[in-house]
Amino acid sequence: MESEDSRGSESDDRAYAEAERIAEALVFASAQPVSEGFIADRLPRALNVRSIMLKLKEQYAHRGVNLVQVDDAWAFRTAADLSFVIRRDDNEVKKLSRAALEVLAIIGYHQPVTRAEIEDIRGVQTSRGTLDVLMEAGWVRFRGRRRTPGRPVTLGTTREFLDHFGLEELRDLPGLEELKGAGLLSGRIPANFNIPSPSMSDELTEDEDPITQLDLEELGLLAPGGSSEE
C-alpha cells in the first residue's frame, strides 16, 4: 500500500512542476523582463520563486534561447553565440556618439549623479540632446532631486539598460582590468586612477528627495495639471 509520505511527495513534485510551467509561460509571454514579485503573485505562496527560476535557468543554459536574470526580473533571450543568426541591419540600435557613451558610463558607475557632476567628471558641458538620446533608449531615468541648492535632478540607469547590455546587476559592469583588456582605456592612465563601485540600490539615498508631480511638470515630462504630454 502506498504510504501517505510518498503520496505527499508526489503531490509536492507535481505542484513544483506546475509552478515551473507557470513561471516559464509568464516569462515567455512577456516582451519585457518579468519581476519575481509578479511571478510570485501567481504561484502558491509556499514555493520559492528564486529557486524555481534558477532551476529553469539551468535547464535553458545550453539551448538556443537562454533564461537570463535582469536585476530582480527574468527574460528569455537568444543565446549570445547565436545572436548573429537573427541580427538584421534594420533592427540595429543606432550607435551612440562618443559623448553619449561617456555620459552613459558615468551614470552607470557614479549613480545617483547630477548633470553638473557629469560635466565635472567629463570636463565639458553635456547637451540636453545627449541625455534625451539615452532616455529615449530607455537606459537612463530621473531618480530624484538632490538636497542641495537648486535641487538638481539625479540620474540613474534602468532595468532596460541592464537587459540591453546583458547584465544581471550593476556589479556586473566591467572593472578596470576588463576595460583595459577591451582597449577601452588608455595604457597611460594615471597610476591612482580607479573605477568606482556602482550603487546596487534603486532606493533614494539620504541626500535625495523623491520626484513629485510638480517636478515632472517642471522637467517637461507632464503637462500642467498632471496629464502626460503627447
Side-chain angles (χ1 to χ4, degrees), residues 78-139:
T78 303
D81 61 330
L82 297 179
S83 59
F84 72 93
V85 177
I86 62 172
R87 183 174 296 146
R88 295 291 183 271
D89 290 341
D90 56 353
N91 288 331
E92 287 291 314
V93 176
K94 181 179 178 181
K95 288 186 177 180
L96 296 179
S97 66
R98 177 175 177 177
L101 283 171
E102 289 177 356
V103 171
L104 182 60
I106 290 170
I107 294 173
Y109 285 100
H110 292 265
Q111 60 187 298
V113 62
T114 66
R115 180 172 172 178
E117 290 165 345
I118 292 171
E119 293 176 347
D120 185 55
I121 293 170
R122 294 186 66 218
V124 295
Q125 286 190 332
T126 298
S127 71
R128 177 60 188 264
T130 298
L131 288 174
D132 285 345
V133 167
L134 297 176
M135 289 190 169
E136 287 171 6
W139 298 340

Side-chain angles (χ1 to χ4, degrees), residues 145-192:
R145 305 203 78 155
R146 186 69 53 76
R147 294 177 183 173
T148 56
R151 300 184 65 245
V153 174
T154 55
L155 300 162
T157 54
T158 64
R159 179 181 289 166
E160 287 77 9
F161 165 79
L162 296 175
D163 188 24
H164 180 82
F165 290 98
L167 305 171
E168 289 190 3
E169 52 191 3
L170 287 173
R171 68 163 56 97
D172 293 328
L173 284 168
L176 182 60
E177 294 305 317
E178 292 172 290
L179 292 174
K180 284 182 180 178
L184 298 176
L185 287 178
S186 166
R188 304 174 68 178
I189 59 176
N192 61 347

Side-chain angles (χ1 to χ4, degrees), residues 7-52:
R7 289 197 298 271
S9 178
E10 289 178 4
S11 176
D12 290 343
D13 289 344
R14 285 196 298 271
Y16 193 90
E18 183 64 13
E20 280 190 345
R21 294 181 67 239
I22 293 172
E24 184 179 30
L26 289 172
V27 178
F28 181 82
S30 176
Q32 302 298 324
V34 180
S35 71
E36 290 184 2
F38 182 87
I39 298 171
D41 288 341
R42 287 150 181 80
L43 298 181
R45 297 293 180 184
L47 296 178
N48 185 306
V49 174
R50 175 57 63 90
S51 174
I52 290 172

